[in-house]
Amino acid sequence: MPASRLWVVDVYGRVFSLSTAGQQWEQCHDAQMEFKRVTAAQQCCWGIACDNNVYLNLHASDLPIRYQETTYENQRWNPIGGFSDHLLPSDRWQWSDITGLKHQPFDSFELPSSSWEWEGDWYVDENFEGEPTEKEGWTYAIDFPAFYTKNKKMTSCVRRRRWLRYRRYKDMDTWAKIPSPQMETPDPFSDISCGGWDISEEPRGRLSLWAVSLLGKVWFREGIYHHNPEGSMWEEQSVPGEVLQISCGPRDLVWAVLWEGQLAVRQGITRDCPKGTSWVEMDSPSPDGGAIHVAVGINTVWALTKDNKVWFRRGIDSHNPCGLGWISMVGEMITINVGLNDQVFAICCEDRAVYFRQGVTSSELSGKTWKAISVPRDGDRSHSSASANSLQSAGCFFSGEVRAQSVVSDVESDTEKVSTDGASCLVTSTSPESVVDAPTDHPDQPMETPKPRIPKVTSDSFISELISDREPAKSLREGGSAGPAVLEEEETLPGEGEVIAPCADVAISPSQSGRPLDAQWSNVDLEEAQGQQAQTGVALEAADTSSLSSVATYTLAMEDPYGTDEHPLWAWVSGGGCSVDSHSHLNWFNSMNTSLLVQSVQSVQSMSPSVTPAQTAAWRRQIFEQLSERTKREMDNFKHYEQAIEQSVWVKKGTMQWWRDWKPYKWIDVHFALEQFSGSDGNKDGILFIYYNFYEEKKYLHAFVNELTILVPVLNESKHTFAIYTPERTKQRFPIRLAAATELEMHDWLALLSVSCCHSRGIQGPPSKQAIWSITCKGDIFVSEPSPDLEAMPYPTPCDQMFWRQVGGHLRMVECNSVGIVWGIGYDHTAWVYTGGYGGGFFQGLASSTDNIYTQTDVKSVYIYENQRWNPLEGFTNRGLPTDRYMWSDASGLHECTKTNMKPPSTQWTWVSDWTIDYSVSCGTDKEGWQYAADFPVSYHGRKGKTDFVRRRRWARKCKLTTTGPWQEIPPVALSDVTILPCAAQSNVDEVHLWAISNKGDVLCRLGVTALTPAGSSWLHVGTDQPFKSISIGAASQVWAIARDGSAFYRGSVSPQSPAGDCWYHIPSPSKQKLKQVSVGRTSVLTVDENGNLWYRQGVTPSYPQGSSWEHISNNVRKVSVGPLDQVWIIADKVQGSHSLSCGTVCHRLGVQPVEPKGMSWDYGIGGGWDHITVRGNSMEPPRVCLPSLTDTSAPAPRSPLPVRNMEVDSSAGGS
């Protein structure tokens, strides 16, 4: 989980934030003014400053915020001059929007605020629906408005072209003032709250911002989303009375507190109406006192009453935003806030500390207890190695007059002279965190006295203001009976700007100081102070010893006028951008104790005797000699004995269920046994036995462990099943399927069998850099170590003999290269980088590495469909024909799936949201999410037609998986595709090119990616005119990409000196096909279209890298991966097995060579159920095989290659 922040404001108006991965409050130093309140989201923080203006602090990201301004140039043809700007009176404007109703010349576009800047000038968009246009971007039509084409026809009387210009938001990580005309908000704001980011995913980054004015009015900020973070305008909302405070949750909860103490709940908040429609009034939680504060989350509401009591509202959900009743909670707070995942933060009225509500889960929203967040601030001196109360221990005393040092008694002077023999009296200025001990070891060496740094102060009000919030500090020890106010300090130097007067064994007389004893602060000039230093310099140089008894110390540092060593007093807290849950590991509650422990350890170490490097070297040499003698004594005398080899047999038995191999197929109870043994050569092997009854006769199946090729967990709603493959069963597409009684038992067997298979094949440790990675449709990750003969010609290693082992974690796709850099993307578009470990998940002990294993989470959506049919009497209802699909079903309609009976994919997944309508369905939906069609099942569309008699809409619910694996998260950009430069086996590339596409379609280039730092350092945005969905980089740094409209692009001039290249070249797609994925090797470029056809790009050469045409290779292809040696692997559908067609099968293209780069046939490997494969790390050159001469009769005949099975071929696919 990436780090997020908790925001607070102290009583002085300073803004601080605390990272979930940090241990101290970090002050927002950019703020040059005090703030009243802040409200945070994950991507930004809003605040109300003391000047009553609203400010926005937008967190910096690797992806810039860019907004595309668009205008259209319209022209009409006339017989005299051809196309010109002279339009008919009834025509649209010459420069207009897409509808033609709004006049939009270039000079009408202005920047919304000073936080934006133009990226460049206006330019013509030369793309039309993914295809390049001719003649400077013009598109033609018969008249306005009509259907436009890129080709001019005889009937084309009008034309238009689109002009584009981008503006960029520049004020990142700084407080930017939100422009607000006086006519919009006549009175200033007193409260503000943001939320609503989970109401809908479109538009991206949409927020709901509510504000309350001093007169009790409520305002809503319109138009806040990713490309317009500041919003557009304030709109006043009607309220049932004067409002005191308001709170907005991540979804549809908005509560407000009225001046009289009642509460108001906003109703009617939906995706299309985020500001709601009406209010419902609620009574205060306590009849004795009205409410003063309310805080809402996703399914929770908390409130505070006038007596500072805390109240929790039960029964809150999306269907009942008002809840059922109030529950009184423990604690007295002055403010409260609900963050992400319904976590609760509050400020206690007693000590003004921030408290975190522990134990808040989805099943127990009220939590268990309050726990104070005890971390220091970044400027606290108590966090350094100095004293925890440096002001008091330094003897600081603030007043309006300067007091001279009193006469010190002889007894005290003698005592201090012994303890500080040779110490010089210092007049210096250091940082507040520095600690310097007076030297005592070398009394004869003179010590250079630094010059004092005294600021010039010319106002009494400055000092009085500076000390108004401080209490007089008490001295640590007082000096006997000698005079008043002798201030002494410990062995620490004052902070920056502090002045220590010269100290000696005699008092400073008024003549020496140059001013009366009780003179008030008026003008302290630097020149005057230097004069005093010169007068007292003689006494300093003449003194052999001097006391470190301190005189008055005056702190004049302006950067911390409120005293950093005091206990922080917080006034406001906002957790809307703080992502924590019940499993989060926070370092917020013990950092104070840790710092004190470190100080005590350092103090103990300072008292220990020092060890010289020479002594250390001598000890090491002595220990090494003793160990060498012991080794020789214990080992050399027994070399003539034969080494003992353990020969043993070990058996593990259990009961399971087995999916019978013959009809009728069903689950039957069996006994399962694994017998392991060690041979005389020390190698381990084993046999699997499955004992079953057949017509009351006991029989068994067996398989040698060294013949097993893969162990795969299988998704099953009712059973905990896994599949066991051998080469023969891989050919049949019919594995051994077993079901355990519990999930834990299944994981135990899988871990044991995996370790046994690895031992029998001599495989241990992490995968090699040449490994082939693959992912199942379930999200499980597998790797295979390629043999040198895998790509050998003419007899390669068959795919069905490859051994696959599982790696912990959960991903949707993975990419690698031969340097060892591996990246993965989860179902929630989170990017992960491989750490070099192995195991994780259910692998424990020797099956998993002890380090480089981290917690990994993934979130994905489960979909069900609501189906309806139209009838003349009632319209669309959930009563269908007897032959129709289920009214609640899956996508195919063959299985009934309702909201109540639908379960997560497995017991490892847990629900994290409720069922919501999914509007992001292909082909679009109406405002209620429905798609229409003539009948089930045909193509659906978002608008109802006259012949549409059925409709459906998709419901989505998110579930979350928490596991472990050798993966580390790379925040904060969500990705949909990634590609890594394939390198040669012995490549010494300093920096590896890595390209990616964000889940919104932006093209990114990762900088700083090396073998030592595979995660890289930062993202570089590469501009595009439309969103992309697939990208791939070849061994010669050739970058190909697929846009979301199915068109292909080539990036020119990509090199180590220019990692982002210079421009995109449009590549025409195959005829009547839309591409969806591309993969580039050393010289080959292959793509897959949306119909499952595999295409090869002909004519790609170094001088013409765009190629010339597309050639069809195969169909029924889901994914393709081209390796660094141009080897081709795919995930194929409809592969024939012994029982049925298999979907999601790993296939290898045979016969790929320079003279035949398209290959000749397919070899089939593991499957089905596979969803992704990458061979871009396998750069091992195949061995060269010398074929025997055909005339040599003595040579043995070569073995025939494996029979190759062909997939179904769609004859309708054609090349271009």
Side-chain angles (χ1 to χ4, degrees):
M1 181 182 295
S4 54
R5 291 191 170 274
L6 175 68
W7 293 77
V8 293
V9 182
D10 66 3
V11 294
Y12 302 112
R14 296 175 297 183
V15 181
F16 291 80
S17 64
L18 175 62
S19 171
T20 52
Q23 290 184 305
Q24 67 175 3
W25 295 104
E26 298 177 7
Q27 184 176 357
C28 187
H29 293 286
D30 174 73
Q32 301 299 324
M33 73 289 290
E34 290 80 13
F35 277 78
K36 298 177 181 178
R37 296 184 177 183
V38 295
T39 177
Q42 284 191 299
Q43 69 269 27
C44 64
C45 183
W46 297 76
I48 302 177
C50 289
D51 59 359
N52 295 323
N53 287 313
V54 178
Y55 288 80
L56 170 63
N57 190 323
L58 194 63
H59 307 332
S61 172
D62 292 329
L63 279 180
I65 296 178
R66 304 167 70 238
Y67 185 82
Q68 177 183 282
E69 298 284 8
T70 304
T71 187
Y72 286 83
E73 181 183 3
N74 307 297
Q75 290 186 355
R76 177 175 286 277
W77 182 85
N78 63 72
I80 300 175
F83 284 101
S84 67
D85 299 338
H86 301 290
L87 304 175
L88 298 178
S90 59
D91 281 341
R92 56 183 59 191
W93 301 91
Q94 177 191 348
W95 294 92
S96 69
D97 61 355
I98 190 172
T99 64
L101 302 177
K102 183 179 180 182
H103 186 38
Q104 288 190 168
F106 286 162
D107 54 8
S108 66
F109 292 88
E110 297 180 354
L111 295 175
S113 68
S114 59
S115 300
W116 293 85
E117 63 181 1
W118 293 112
E119 282 192 350
D121 207 349
W122 290 95
Y123 68 94
V124 176
D125 181 15
E126 297 184 352
N127 287 313
F128 178 71
E129 297 181 353
E131 298 290 337
T133 60
E134 299 178 358
K135 298 183 179 179
E136 300 179 345
W138 292 106
T139 57
Y140 300 87
I142 298 177
D143 200 355
F144 300 121
F147 178 74
Y148 292 88
T149 62
K150 66 176 182 177
N151 298 319
K152 184 178 180 298
K153 302 178 182 179
M154 294 295 295
T155 58
S156 300
C157 297
V158 296
R159 68 178 183 178
R160 73 175 184 183
R161 61 179 175 180
R162 187 169 70 159
W163 289 77
L164 303 176
R165 191 180 188 185
Y166 285 92
R167 52 182 167 90
R168 180 196 299 262
Y169 189 84
K170 63 179 181 178
D171 287 345
M172 312 294 279
D173 283 335
T174 184
W175 290 101
K177 181 180 177 181
I178 301 300
S180 179
Q182 186 67 24
M183 60 197 71
E184 286 188 8
T185 57
D187 53 321
F189 292 146
S190 61
D191 188 40
I192 194 169
S193 178
C194 71
W197 50 80
D198 282 344
I199 296 178
S200 173
E201 295 182 356
E202 296 294 338
R204 176 188 173 191
R206 184 170 74 173
L207 283 179
S208 297
L209 185 67
W210 297 78
V212 177
S213 67
L214 291 177
L215 298 181
K217 299 179 180 179
V218 173
W219 301 80
F220 181 83
R221 186 73 175 175
E222 294 277 3
I224 301 177
Y225 59 98
H226 174 73
H227 295 296
N228 188 27
E230 298 173 315
S232 304
M233 60 177 294
W234 291 103
E235 182 179 346
E236 184 178 357
Q237 305 296 312
S238 60
V239 288
E242 289 81 3
V243 175
L244 176 67
Q245 183 256 335
I246 196 168
S247 178
C248 178
R251 294 183 185 169
D252 55 356
L253 283 183
V254 176
W255 282 52
V257 180
L258 304 181
W259 281 5
E260 292 79 10
Q262 298 94 344
L263 295 164
V265 183
R266 191 66 171 172
Q267 300 276 7
I269 297 178
T270 62
R271 173 179 179 267
D272 298 317
C273 185
K275 55 189 175 185
T277 57
S278 61
W279 294 94
V280 174
E281 290 193 53
M282 306 281 295
D283 293 332
S284 171
S286 173
D288 300 332
I292 61 171
H293 195 93
V294 69
V296 303
I298 300 176
N299 294 311
T300 183
V301 174
W302 295 71
L304 302 177
T305 51
K306 292 181 180 179
D307 54 1
N308 295 325
K309 299 296 184 183
V310 183
W311 298 83
F312 171 77
R313 187 74 174 175
R314 63 182 179 89
I316 297 289
D317 56 38
S318 58
H319 304 288
N320 185 18
C322 297
L324 301 177
W326 293 101
I327 301 175
S328 179
M329 309 299 291
V330 177
E332 294 184 359
M333 305 294 174
I334 62 171
T335 184
I336 195 168
N337 190 264
V338 179
L340 301 178
N341 304 319
D342 285 336
Q343 303 300 312
V344 185
F345 305 89
I347 296 178
C348 182
C349 63
E350 182 179 353
D351 57 359
R352 288 296 186 98
V354 178
Y355 281 75
F356 172 65
R357 187 71 175 175
Q358 287 192 319
V360 175
T361 62
S362 58
S363 59
E364 190 174 354
L365 294 171
S366 60
K368 297 180 179 179
T369 184
W370 295 103
K371 191 166 185 180
I373 298 177
S374 57
V375 295
R377 292 171 292 181
D378 54 1
D380 286 356
R381 276 175 284 182
S382 59
H383 189 54
S384 65
S385 58
S387 172
N389 194 2
S390 58
L391 284 178
Q392 282 82 352
S393 62
C396 300
F397 185 84
F398 296 91
S399 66
E401 60 184 30
V402 179
R403 301 186 181 183
Q405 179 183 359
S406 61
V407 180
V408 184
S409 64
D410 296 337
V411 177
E412 184 179 355
S413 299
D414 293 339
T415 304
E416 290 186 320
K417 195 175 297 184
V418 173
S419 62
T420 60
D421 187 26
S424 301
C425 186
L426 303 180
V427 181
T428 185
S429 172
T430 62
S431 65
E433 297 178 356
S434 61
V435 178
V436 181
D437 293 340
T440 58
D441 297 333
H442 306 284
D444 298 333
Q445 296 181 1
M447 186 172 184
E448 183 180 355
T449 304
K451 295 181 180 180
R453 179 185 174 197
I454 306 176
K456 182 173 181 177
V457 183
T458 60
S459 174
D460 294 339
S461 61
F462 171 77
I463 297 298
S464 61
E465 180 183 357
L466 183 69
I467 64 175
S468 60
D469 292 303
R470 293 186 180 266
E471 297 180 358
K474 298 180 181 179
S475 62
L476 186 64
R477 60 182 186 270
E478 297 179 355
S481 60
V486 177
L487 303 180
E488 302 176 355
E489 66 174 341
E490 293 180 343
E491 295 179 354
T492 60
L493 293 181
E496 182 177 353
E498 296 179 354
V499 184
I500 299 182
C503 57
D505 290 343
V506 295
I508 303 176
S509 64
S511 61
Q512 289 175 311
S513 62
R515 58 188 183 277
L517 183 62
D518 296 330
Q520 298 293 324
W521 281 92
S522 57
N523 289 324
V524 182
D525 277 317
L526 184 61
E527 295 81 7
E528 182 182 1
Q530 291 176 348
Q532 299 171 15
Q533 175 72 15
Q535 292 177 10
T536 56
V538 178
L540 286 172
E541 293 176 357
D544 293 333
T545 61
S546 62
S547 171
L548 283 180
S549 310
S550 175
V551 295
T553 304
Y554 307 97
T555 302
L556 304 181
M558 295 187 62
E559 63 271 16
D560 192 9
Y562 304 111
T564 56
D565 289 326
E566 297 175 357
H567 175 72
L569 304 177
W570 304 118
W572 193 261
V573 61
S574 178
C578 186
S579 179
V580 297
D581 53 32
S582 57
H583 304 289
S584 299
H585 177 69
L586 301 175
N587 299 318
W588 293 351
F589 312 109
N590 54 1
S591 60
M592 289 291 193
N593 298 333
T594 304
S595 62
L596 293 176
L597 178 62
V598 172
Q599 294 177 22
S600 62
V601 171
Q602 290 176 349
S603 62
V604 172
Q605 291 177 349
S606 63
M607 293 186 295
S608 61
S610 60
V611 180
T612 63
Q615 291 175 324
T616 303
W619 290 344
R620 290 177 177 174
R621 188 163 48 250
Q622 182 181 359
I623 294 172
F624 178 75
E625 292 175 355
Q626 292 175 355
L627 290 175
S628 300
E629 293 177 0
R630 179 179 176 180
T631 302
K632 184 177 181 180
R633 183 174 64 254
E634 295 182 357
M635 300 297 294
D636 293 351
N637 296 333
F638 301 93
K639 287 184 177 181
H640 59 282
Y641 287 97
E642 182 180 358
Q643 186 175 3
I645 299 178
E646 180 183 3
Q647 299 183 13
S648 60
V649 177
W650 179 82
V651 179
K652 179 178 173 61
K653 298 180 179 180
T655 57
M656 290 192 185
Q657 286 188 317
W658 169 55
W659 185 254
R660 199 166 63 179
D661 283 352
W662 58 87
K663 295 182 179 180
Y665 302 115
K666 64 178 182 178
W667 292 101
I668 61 174
D669 295 329
V670 297
H671 292 278
F672 187 76
L674 170 62
E675 180 178 327
Q676 284 185 301
F677 52 85
S678 301
S680 58
D681 55 355
N683 294 330
K684 295 182 179 180
D685 205 345
I687 306 177
L688 288 177
F689 292 96
I690 299 175
Y691 301 95
Y692 63 95
N693 293 326
F694 183 70
Y695 293 110
E696 298 182 356
E697 181 181 357
K698 292 185 177 181
K699 294 189 175 184
Y700 70 89
L701 297 175
H702 76 281
F704 290 97
V705 171
N706 60 7
E707 293 181 354
L708 303 185
T709 56
I710 193 170
L711 306 160
V712 189
V714 180
L715 280 177
N716 191 300
E717 295 182 356
S718 58
K719 295 182 181 295
H720 308 286
T721 63
F722 62 97
I724 301 176
Y725 282 87
T726 62
E728 184 60 31
R729 288 188 173 269
T730 300
K731 297 176 183 177
Q732 298 174 359
R733 312 286 154 207
F734 199 82
I736 301 173
R737 293 184 62 184
L738 298 168
T742 63
E743 186 177 24
L744 179 61
E745 182 180 356
M746 180 189 71
H747 288 165
D748 289 342
W749 277 108
L750 282 174
L752 177 61
L753 292 172
S754 297
V755 172
S756 301
C757 292
C758 291
H759 284 171
S760 65
R761 295 174 180 267
I763 298 175
Q764 60 181 354
S768 68
K769 298 179 181 179
Q770 312 289 329
I772 300 175
W773 296 71
S774 66
I775 296 178
T776 68
C777 59
K778 183 175 174 287
D780 295 323
I781 309 165
F782 289 86
V783 294
S784 177
E785 302 295 338
S787 66
D789 296 330
L790 188 60
E791 302 291 339
M793 293 291 293
Y795 309 121
T797 301
C799 287
D800 51 30
Q801 296 182 10
M802 297 173 61
F803 172 69
W804 298 85
R805 56 171 172 153
Q806 189 170 352
V807 177
H810 190 272
L811 295 172
R812 179 180 58 86
M813 67 161 295
V814 65
E815 276 298 327
C816 63
N817 75 345
S818 58
V819 180
I821 300 172
V822 183
W823 278 47
I825 300 176
Y827 281 83
D828 57 356
H829 301 286
T830 301
W832 302 85
V833 63
Y834 177 62
T835 61
Y838 61 96
F842 55 81
F843 294 100
Q844 303 293 333
L846 297 178
S848 176
S849 57
T850 57
D851 53 358
N852 293 325
I853 300 296
Y854 301 92
T855 301
Q856 184 180 11
T857 60
D858 203 356
V859 177
K860 71 177 182 179
S861 296
V862 176
Y863 301 104
I864 60 175
Y865 288 84
E866 180 184 4
N867 308 298
Q868 291 186 353
R869 178 174 285 277
W870 183 86
N871 65 72
L873 299 178
E874 301 176 282
F876 283 102
T877 66
N878 55 5
R879 289 188 293 272
L881 300 177
T883 56
D884 278 344
R885 58 179 58 191
Y886 294 100
M887 291 298 99
W888 288 89
S889 68
D890 59 357
S892 66
L894 302 177
H895 305 282
E896 184 177 14
C897 301
T898 64
K899 292 182 180 180
T900 55
N901 68 9
M902 193 65 184
K903 298 179 180 179
S906 70
T907 56
Q908 294 178 297
W909 294 84
T910 57
W911 295 119
V912 293
S913 71
D914 293 328
W915 290 104
T916 57
I917 299 175
D918 184 13
Y919 296 90
S920 60
V921 186
S922 60
C923 300
T925 66
D926 64 6
K927 64 179 182 179
E928 295 181 351
W930 291 105
Q931 290 184 307
Y932 300 87
D935 201 354
F936 299 120
V938 292
S939 60
Y940 294 89
H941 43 267
R943 292 185 179 181
K944 184 183 181 307
K946 294 182 179 180
T947 59
D948 294 332
F949 297 99
V950 297
R951 68 178 184 178
R952 72 173 186 180
R953 63 179 173 185
R954 189 166 74 173
W955 291 77
R957 192 177 186 183
K958 292 182 179 180
C959 53
K960 183 178 181 180
L961 169 73
T962 302
T963 182
T964 57
W967 305 93
Q968 271 192 322
E969 184 177 353
I970 305 176
V973 181
L975 303 181
S976 63
D977 195 17
V978 66
T979 181
I980 309 173
L981 177 73
C983 306
Q986 304 298 328
S987 176
N988 294 322
V989 180
D990 294 333
E991 186 169 340
V992 178
H993 293 177
L994 186 146
W995 289 64
I997 295 178
S998 72
N999 64 328
K1000 300 302 179 182
D1002 298 313
V1003 178
L1004 308 170
C1005 179
R1006 189 70 171 177
L1007 303 179
V1009 178
T1010 64
L1012 298 178
T1013 58
S1017 57
S1018 62
W1019 290 107
L1020 176 64
H1021 183 266
V1022 180
T1024 59
D1025 291 335
Q1026 57 181 315
F1028 282 21
K1029 62 181 177 182
S1030 177
I1031 196 166
S1032 182
I1033 183 172
S1037 298
Q1038 62 272 40
V1039 177
W1040 286 66
I1042 305 296
R1044 287 187 178 178
D1045 62 1
S1047 56
F1049 288 86
Y1050 170 77
R1051 186 71 175 176
S1053 303
V1054 177
S1055 64
Q1057 294 75 25
S1058 178
D1062 56 3
C1063 61
W1064 291 104
Y1065 297 92
H1066 182 269
I1067 308 297
S1069 303
S1071 177
K1072 299 180 181 180
Q1073 302 292 337
K1074 290 186 177 181
L1075 302 177
K1076 70 173 184 179
Q1077 191 237 335
V1078 64
S1079 186
V1080 186
R1082 182 164 54 186
T1083 59
S1084 298
V1085 179
L1086 282 91
T1087 60
V1088 179
D1089 63 29
E1090 293 181 352
N1091 295 320
N1093 296 303
L1094 180 64
W1095 302 87
Y1096 172 79
R1097 188 66 177 174
Q1098 290 275 20
V1100 175
T1101 63
S1103 59
Y1104 191 67
Q1106 297 94 329
S1108 57
S1109 62
W1110 296 102
E1111 182 175 348
H1112 184 263
I1113 296 180
S1114 182
N1115 52 15
N1116 297 323
V1117 178
R1118 185 183 303 178
K1119 293 283 182 65
V1120 63
S1121 178
V1122 181
L1125 305 179
D1126 286 337
Q1127 59 267 52
V1128 179
W1129 292 66
I1130 64 170
I1131 302 294
D1133 292 330
K1134 297 183 180 180
V1135 175
Q1136 184 63 50
S1138 59
H1139 294 74
S1140 62
L1141 294 177
S1142 175
C1143 293
T1145 302
V1146 175
C1147 301
H1148 176 209
R1149 189 69 173 172
L1150 300 178
V1152 175
Q1153 49 187 329
V1155 296
E1156 188 65 34
K1158 301 183 297 297
M1160 302 176 63
S1161 59
W1162 294 106
D1163 184 20
Y1164 301 96
I1166 195 66
W1170 254 248
D1171 196 54
H1172 183 83
I1173 189 171
T1174 176
V1175 295
R1176 296 172 66 82
N1178 182 19
S1179 59
M1180 287 191 298
E1181 294 283 351
R1184 299 182 180 274
V1185 179
C1186 296
L1187 296 178
S1189 175
L1190 296 177
T1191 59
D1192 188 2
T1193 57
S1194 62
R1199 63 184 181 93
S1200 61
L1202 288 176
V1204 178
R1205 303 176 294 280
N1206 292 325
M1207 294 180 290
E1208 298 179 1
V1209 178
D1210 184 4
S1211 59
S1212 62
S1216 66

